[in-house]
Amino acid sequence: MIRSRSTAKLAKAEDISAESNHWEFVFEPYRLDPTREMLTCGGKTVPLPSRLFALLYALVAADGKIVSRERLSLLLWPDGNVADGNLSQHIYMLRHALGKSGSAGQFILTVHGKGFRFAAPLTLATATRPLFKRLAASAAGPENLGERSVSVLG
C-alpha cells in the first residue's frame, strides 16, 4: 500500500498482532526501510555503511527541504571532530552507491552555500513483515502440528 506523505498515519498499537506494519520511503527504483536500516533496489539489498545510511535517511526525511552541511556533519559526527571534506566525501560515496542503478544526480542536489537536498519524488509505503516465525513441527511428522514453536525474528 502506497500513500503520499501527507496522508500517512502510523499503525495503532491495537492493530499490531502477528504482523507489524512499518513505513518505507520509496524513490524509484529504491526502497529505504529506516526500521531495518536497509536500502533495496529491485528487491536486492544495497549495502550501505551506517554513516551513509544515516546521511541518506536524513536527506530523505527532510522531505525535500535543504539540510545544512553543519546539521549533516553534526548528525554523522556528533563529537564534532571531523574535517570539512569528510561530508563532501560521504555525499560523493552516497551518490556513487545510488548511481549504480540510475542517475544519482536526480536524487541528491547540492545547494551551494546552503547544503544538500533530496530531490527525487518520494512516496511512503507500508511494508508488512512477520514479527513471529513459526518453526517447523518436529521431524516426527504431522501428528505434532498442534505443538508449534514460535520464535521472535531479529
Side-chain angles (χ1 to χ4, degrees):
M1 165 188 265
I2 296 180
R3 298 181 186 184
S4 71
R5 283 179 256 199
S6 60
T7 61
K9 295 181 182 176
L10 294 176
K12 298 176 190 170
E14 61 265 16
D15 294 338
I16 299 173
S17 58
E19 293 186 342
S20 173
N21 291 330
H22 63 276
W23 295 101
E24 293 181 346
F25 295 94
V26 179
F27 52 101
E28 295 300 332
Y30 295 97
R31 292 179 79 94
L32 180 71
D33 183 342
T35 304
R36 292 191 220 161
E37 294 188 15
M38 190 163 59
L39 177 67
T40 57
C41 180
K44 295 181 181 180
T45 301
V46 177
L48 285 180
S50 61
R51 279 202 177 118
L52 289 186
F53 182 88
L55 176 59
L56 178 59
Y57 182 52
L59 291 168
V60 167
D63 197 21
K65 295 180 182 92
I66 297 169
V67 184
S68 71
R69 294 182 66 86
E70 294 78 21
R71 182 160 169 75
L72 290 172
S73 292
L74 186 60
L75 173 73
L76 298 177
W77 297 279
D79 60 5
N81 296 332
V82 61
D84 190 42
N86 281 359
L87 180 58
S88 296
Q89 182 65 22
H90 277 72
I91 291 287
Y92 169 82
M93 291 186 299
L94 183 56
R95 284 179 173 150
H96 180 72
L98 294 174
K100 291 179 182 176
S101 298
S103 171
Q106 69 184 349
F107 298 122
I108 302 169
L109 298 180
T110 301
V111 182
H112 293 285
K114 294 189 179 182
F116 301 93
R117 182 171 71 86
F118 193 82
L122 280 173
T123 54
L124 283 178
T126 56
T128 304
R129 66 181 178 120
L131 276 179
F132 300 99
K133 175 180 165 183
R134 296 203 181 268
L135 298 177
S138 95
E143 64 274 7
N144 292 326
L145 287 177
E147 300 175 22
R148 295 182 184 157
S149 299
V150 177
S151 68
V152 177
L153 289 178

